Amino acid sequence: MNKEAFKKSLADQGYVLVDFYASWCGPCKTMDNVLDEVISQFDDLSLIKIDVDKERRLAMAYGVMSLPAIILFHQGNALYQFIGLTSREEIVKKIEELKNGQ
């Protein structure tokens, strides 16, 4: 999948967390439960998982250099990137700030 096709697939959606992960990445596995909890708190938020080993070009297009990397998109536009292990509270707080225009 190229960056343009990826952005187009996101354009029709509201808020989306894109989880760039790898199956061999321990911290990525830890983030799975955190992201499930975050998604459950918002009715208008969805999750897409991108395996960087299968989609290297897409990961490179978004500057993913460390894992886990989670990018918040709104209508196809990247709003914020979380790098490394991130708490549920930190992710929720940033989403709420961005949704409220702060």
Side-chain angles (χ1 to χ4, degrees), residues 60-71:
M60 287 173 37
Y62 284 97
V64 173
M65 303 292 275
S66 300
L67 296 176
I70 296 116
I71 302 177

Side-chain angles (χ1 to χ4, degrees), residues 8-71:
K8 187 173 171 51
S9 72
L10 293 176
D12 296 333
Q13 300 185 47
Y15 289 92
V16 181
L17 281 176
V18 178
D19 177 18
F20 288 90
Y21 76 99
S23 60
W24 47 263
C25 171
C28 296
K29 293 174 185 171
T30 301
M31 287 303 298
D32 284 344
N33 291 334
V34 171
L35 294 174
D36 288 343
E37 291 175 11
V38 170
I39 294 299
S40 71
Q41 288 190 246
F42 296 93
D43 292 334
D44 61 344
L45 181 65
S46 57
L47 175 67
I48 296 175
K49 297 182 70 60
I50 303 290
D51 185 335
V52 297
D53 290 329
K54 294 178 182 173
E55 298 290 347
R56 287 187 178 145
R57 287 186 180 169
L58 189 57
M60 287 173 37
Y62 284 97
V64 173
M65 303 292 275
S66 300
L67 296 176
I70 296 116
I71 302 177

